[in-house]
């Protein structure tokens, strides 16, 4: 079955890099996602990576995928207070013609001055 | 930028009552979904909908739940007889191709 694990909290100083780690179990996952949830808001798709890629960079965000270890990470460069949120990792499975994500519990990122 | 919208933002209901949660997906999207997040727990998949029918549902999505796309824009989730344990945030999502889903802001359902 699918399961996604991530640490619950990460605290960083403003301007530092943040690295949020995630492990997943389904080796057949095709897409792996990072979502951001700010207080009282929905899930915002931050970025995703296709399973045949090792790395994807998008401005301050870098996603690394180690498919052998089933490990996904999200690096946020120059972390700002506005980055404080809960970050959800998700693996996906193809079902009914679309990819259904299975989410982790989320990592609360706290950015302090 | 187009967004998924959901109404109401907060719904309070008595146990045993029916509720309908409403979503307006992004206009050119073809796949629609409902998820729920019980406070402090993971976001859980409920159901996916494509071409006017359910394409997949989880074990949570029992006979108390139903979905409908009554017109070209709305996508609704009905809970027929709410239970206390139905209290959660309910998220609607949509996607054009079935790969990357865009979520709405959620409806907080409180069952008393």
């Amino acid at each position: 079955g699918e399961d996604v694990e991530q640490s619950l909290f990460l605290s960083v100083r403003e301007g530092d890099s943040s690295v949020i780690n995630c492990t997943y179990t389904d080796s057949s996952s095709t897409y792996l996602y990072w979502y951001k949830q700010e207080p009282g808001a929905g899930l915002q798709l931050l970025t995703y990576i296709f399973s045949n890629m090792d790395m994807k960079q998008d401005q301050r965000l870098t996603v690394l995928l180690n498919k052998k270890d089933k490990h996904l990470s999200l690096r946020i460069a120059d972390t700002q207070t506005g980055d404080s949120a809960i970050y959800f990792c998700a693996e996906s499975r193809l079902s009914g013609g679309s990819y259904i994500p299975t989410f982790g519990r989320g990592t609360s990122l706290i950015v302090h001055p | 930028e187009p967004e998924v919208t959901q109404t109401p933002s907060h719904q309070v209901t008595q146990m045993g009552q029916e509720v309908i949660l409403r979503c307006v997906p992004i206009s050119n999207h073809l796949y629609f979904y409902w998820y729920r997040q019980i406070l402090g727990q993971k976001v859980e998949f409920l159901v996916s909908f494509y071409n006017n029918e359910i394409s997949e549902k989880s074990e949570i999505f029992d006979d108390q739940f139903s979905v409908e796309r009554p017109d070209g824009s709305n996508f609704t989730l009905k809970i027929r007889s709410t239970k206390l344990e139905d209290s959660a945030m309910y998220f609607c999502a949509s996607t054009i191709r079935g790969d990357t889903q865009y979520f709405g802001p959620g409806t907080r359902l409180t069952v008393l």
Side-chain angles (χ1 to χ4, degrees):
Chain A
E2 308 113 3
D3 198 18
V4 178
E5 297 291 337
Q6 42 183 139
S7 54
L8 292 182
F9 298 99
L10 176 65
S11 179
V12 299
R13 194 181 302 274
E14 191 175 16
D16 287 352
S17 292
S18 309
V19 180
I20 303 171
N21 294 300
C22 166
T23 57
Y24 62 97
T25 55
D26 188 352
S27 56
S28 64
S29 287
T30 307
Y31 287 93
L32 296 125
Y33 307 94
W34 284 103
Y35 282 86
K36 176 183 180 183
Q37 185 180 36
E38 296 185 34
L43 297 166
Q44 174 196 352
L45 177 64
L46 269 184
T47 187
Y48 64 96
I49 189 166
F50 196 63
S51 59
N52 67 353
M53 298 167 67
D54 298 323
M55 186 181 89
K56 180 177 180 182
Q57 187 150 4
D58 183 3
Q59 299 182 335
R60 291 192 296 123
L61 304 178
T62 304
V63 178
L64 294 178
L65 175 60
N66 181 329
K67 206 171 172 187
K68 175 175 163 291
D69 294 338
K70 301 192 192 73
H71 183 268
L72 185 73
S73 68
L74 174 70
R75 179 177 180 270
I76 305 173
D78 186 26
T79 315
Q80 303 298 306
T81 54
D83 294 323
S84 293
I86 301 175
Y87 290 80
F88 291 91
C89 168
E91 62 178 353
S92 67
R93 57 181 172 82
L94 182 61
S95 181
S98 67
Y99 290 91
I100 308 295
T102 298
F103 291 90
R105 288 190 181 275
T107 299
S108 289
L109 175 65
I110 300 158
V111 183
H112 54 91
Chain B
E1 187 174 324
E3 291 180 334
V4 176
T5 59
Q6 291 184 242
T7 54
S9 57
H10 191 188
Q11 172 93 46
V12 181
T13 190
Q14 295 289 327
M15 191 169 58
Q17 294 297 303
E18 175 183 285
V19 294
I20 297 176
L21 309 183
R22 291 184 166 80
C23 169
V24 178
I26 295 173
S27 63
N28 61 342
H29 284 191
L30 301 175
Y31 298 82
F32 314 110
Y33 310 83
W34 283 101
Y35 294 81
R36 79 171 185 193
Q37 185 181 29
I38 294 171
L39 188 64
Q41 297 189 24
K42 294 185 179 186
V43 176
E44 301 172 291
F45 167 75
L46 292 178
V47 66
S48 60
F49 192 86
Y50 171 75
N51 201 25
N52 284 320
E53 61 183 25
I54 291 173
S55 44
E56 167 131 358
K57 59 184 180 179
S58 71
E59 58 192 26
I60 302 167
F61 193 88
D62 61 22
D63 292 342
Q64 300 281 39
F65 293 90
S66 61
V67 289
E68 199 176 39
R69 188 154 161 82
D71 53 43
S73 60
N74 290 284
F75 180 52
T76 62
L77 174 70
K78 183 192 292 186
I79 309 175
R80 204 177 342 272
S81 177
T82 49
K83 304 188 282 283
L84 293 176
E85 54 265 38
D86 293 327
S87 294
M89 281 290 285
Y90 287 82
F91 293 107
C92 173
S94 69
T95 179
I96 189 166
R97 283 192 311 257
D99 52 3
T100 50
Q101 297 181 23
Y102 293 86
F103 282 72
T107 293
R108 179 173 299 284
L109 176 65
T110 302
V111 182
L112 302 176

